[in-house]
């Protein structure tokens, strides 16, 4: 099952789960539209052929949804009854925080083992260095900003570019480093508009002709629109512009890194189930497969690397 926001690489992961399970002669059903499909008994038999030719495709062939009904005890009971009726022994759920929160609650009420696979562009899950889709999203954002850079450079403009990530700054930090941004405004750090204006003024003195500022959508002082307004009020040297990359970041073919990560995690999820593990998220930590209880994956904070934060500041000079 895929659930929550789609992420590039989910298909590669579905393929890996199905083929790994088929290798052990297990029967596999795909659940359509996440928890919604579980509640409605929308299951489709899958085999090695139904997952052919999808490794390179963005989105998810199983479709996805954010289910409100699964948040209710009645919804979960209906889901349980559908799983029992379909003779389902275990569920592999590819998704993010919301998906695993649902799985954790369900696992306390019913005895059907869940294995979570981190699939979200936000990279905000504790227990894995990377989530499926993050690398692709960062590459897409970098490609978009590179194009904006051309016009920023030609017109000597100041650009505020907003990237996704919900409450997490992973996409913003990595995109910012990857494009050589002048500033990166994150949910995890405090944004001081006066300090930002000062930095821009110093840049002008140093003959910096254009500036790219990456703003995480979850930045506590506001998104790109709001920050641009505040800066314009205090400093009007530049003709400032705003670009919000939005859902572009969620689509497209997964990168090589995401395909390999998705394949590894899918394979490991099946191995985990066969070895008796349950209600854990499978992740990669320091290039090794690691299992984290779902409860920890959803409750522990995954902190940004302070070394990267410092480096981004130094390189922006
Ligand atoms: O969790 C992935 C994500 O793309 C976030 O970065 C973003 O905040 C959110 O989903 C957008 O959700 P939706 O597509 O439901 O508007």
């Amino acid at each position: 099952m895929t659930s929550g926001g789609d992420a590039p690489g989910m298909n590669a992961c579905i393929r890996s789960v199905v083929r790994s399970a088929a290798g052990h002669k297990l029967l596999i059903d795909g659940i359509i539209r996440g928890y919604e499909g579980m509640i409605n008994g929308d299951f489709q038999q899958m085999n090695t052929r139904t997952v052919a030719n999808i490794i390179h495709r963005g989105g998810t062939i199983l479709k996805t949804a954010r289910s409100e009904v699964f948040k209710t005890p009645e919804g979960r009971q209906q889901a349980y009854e559908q799983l029992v009726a379909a003779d389902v022994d275990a569920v592999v759920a590819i998704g993010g925080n919301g998906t695993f929160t649902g799985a954790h609650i369900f696992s306390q009420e019913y005895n059907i083992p869940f294995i979570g696979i981190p699939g979200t562009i936000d990279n905000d899950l504790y227990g894995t260095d990377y989530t499926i889709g993050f690398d692709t999203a960062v590459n897409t954002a970098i490609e978009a900003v590179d194009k904006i850079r051309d016009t920023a450079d030609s017109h000597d403009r100041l650009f505020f570019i907003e990237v996704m990530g919900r409450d997490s700054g992973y996409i913003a930090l990595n995109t910012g480093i990857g494009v050589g941004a002048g500033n990166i405004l994150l949910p995890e750090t405090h944004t001081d508009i006066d300090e930002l204006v000062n930095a821009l003024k110093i840049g002008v003195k140093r003959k910096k002709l254009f500036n790219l500022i990456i703003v995480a959508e979850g930045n506590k002082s506001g998104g790109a629109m709001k920050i641009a307004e505040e800066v314009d009020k205090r400093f009007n040297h530049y003709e400032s512009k705003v670009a919000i990359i939005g859902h572009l970041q969620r689509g497209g073919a997964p990168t090589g890194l995401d395909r390999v990560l998705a394949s590894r995690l899918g394979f490991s999820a099946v191995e985990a189930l066969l070895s008796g593990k349950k209600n854990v998220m499978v992740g990669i930590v320091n290039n090794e497969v690691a299992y984290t209880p779902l409860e920890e994956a959803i409750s522990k904070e995954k902190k940004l690397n302070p070394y990267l934060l410092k480096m981004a500041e130094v390189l922006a000079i």
Side-chain angles (χ1 to χ4, degrees):
M1 163 180 102
T2 49
S3 162
D6 64 307
M10 278 184 164
N11 280 327
C13 191
I14 293 167
R15 171 184 178 272
S16 172
V17 170
V18 170
R19 293 202 170 169
S20 304
H24 288 285
K25 308 259 180 290
L26 300 173
L27 295 177
I28 314 122
D29 272 347
I31 303 175
I32 311 300
R33 287 194 181 79
Y35 290 121
E36 288 293 306
M38 194 184 277
I39 290 163
N40 298 323
D42 197 356
F43 306 147
Q44 264 176 32
Q45 240 184 41
M46 304 190 78
N47 58 47
T48 53
R49 295 280 55 85
T50 57
V51 292
N53 202 23
I54 62 167
I55 195 166
H56 61 298
R57 281 170 55 190
T60 158
I61 60 163
L62 291 178
K63 302 205 177 266
T64 187
R66 301 189 197 279
S67 174
E68 288 303 315
V69 191
F70 196 76
K71 290 180 183 161
T72 66
E74 297 76 26
R76 290 191 295 277
Q77 187 182 341
Q78 211 176 314
Y80 173 71
E81 284 164 8
Q82 296 283 11
L83 291 174
V84 171
D87 213 9
V88 172
D89 298 312
V91 177
V92 175
I94 310 168
N97 206 289
T99 306
F100 299 161
T101 302
H104 173 58
I105 297 170
F106 185 87
S107 71
Q108 289 179 317
E109 298 169 337
Y110 302 104
N111 190 20
I112 294 188
F114 263 72
I115 299 288
I117 301 184
T120 162
I121 62 167
D122 300 340
N123 200 29
D124 58 350
L125 285 164
Y126 179 87
T128 190
D129 290 342
Y130 297 105
T131 56
I132 297 167
F134 168 67
D135 186 61
T136 308
V138 168
N139 276 286
T140 303
I142 287 176
E143 207 183 316
V145 179
D146 281 350
K147 289 185 175 147
I148 290 169
R149 169 188 284 272
D150 288 343
T151 183
D153 178 23
S154 304
H155 287 266
D156 299 337
R157 276 175 176 168
L158 166 64
F159 260 93
F160 295 88
I161 304 160
E162 185 175 304
V163 295
M164 275 187 168
R166 205 180 287 277
D167 302 321
S168 149
Y170 268 92
I171 296 180
L173 179 60
N174 284 268
T175 302
I177 292 171
V179 299
N183 293 86
I184 309 171
L185 310 184
L186 304 165
E188 292 86 351
T189 54
H190 174 65
T191 299
D192 182 326
I193 305 284
D194 291 324
E195 244 176 52
L196 178 60
V197 167
N198 257 344
L200 289 170
K201 286 182 179 163
I202 292 169
V204 170
K205 277 200 192 130
R206 287 196 178 132
K207 308 236 176 313
K208 201 166 181 174
L209 292 177
F210 73 96
N211 267 280
L212 300 170
I213 298 181
I214 303 296
V215 186
E217 66 171 347
N219 179 50
K220 305 251 175 10
S221 306
M225 281 287 193
K226 169 113 190 290
I227 303 281
E229 259 173 42
E230 293 298 320
V231 169
D232 283 350
K233 276 188 214 157
R234 295 165 167 82
F235 185 54
N236 60 6
H237 172 84
Y238 288 104
E239 190 189 352
S240 75
K241 296 280 174 189
V242 173
I244 298 172
I245 303 181
H247 286 79
L248 255 187
Q249 290 153 101
R250 284 243 295 263
T255 58
L257 275 182
D258 269 330
R259 294 181 199 197
V260 175
L261 174 69
S263 303
R264 274 183 91 178
L265 294 179
F267 175 80
S268 307
V270 174
E271 295 292 308
L273 275 178
L274 290 173
S275 70
K277 290 195 174 54
K278 59 179 183 178
N279 309 326
V280 294
M281 182 192 82
V282 51
I284 301 284
V285 175
N286 295 330
N287 210 22
E288 294 290 336
V289 174
Y291 299 97
T292 305
L294 288 174
E295 191 177 6
E296 269 182 46
I298 56 177
S299 60
K300 288 201 173 167
E301 192 193 349
K302 179 166 163 189
K303 294 212 162 73
L304 290 176
N305 181 339
Y307 183 81
L308 284 190
L309 283 170
K310 182 78 207 137
M311 185 193 78
E313 233 175 79
V314 172
L315 299 186
I317 284 176

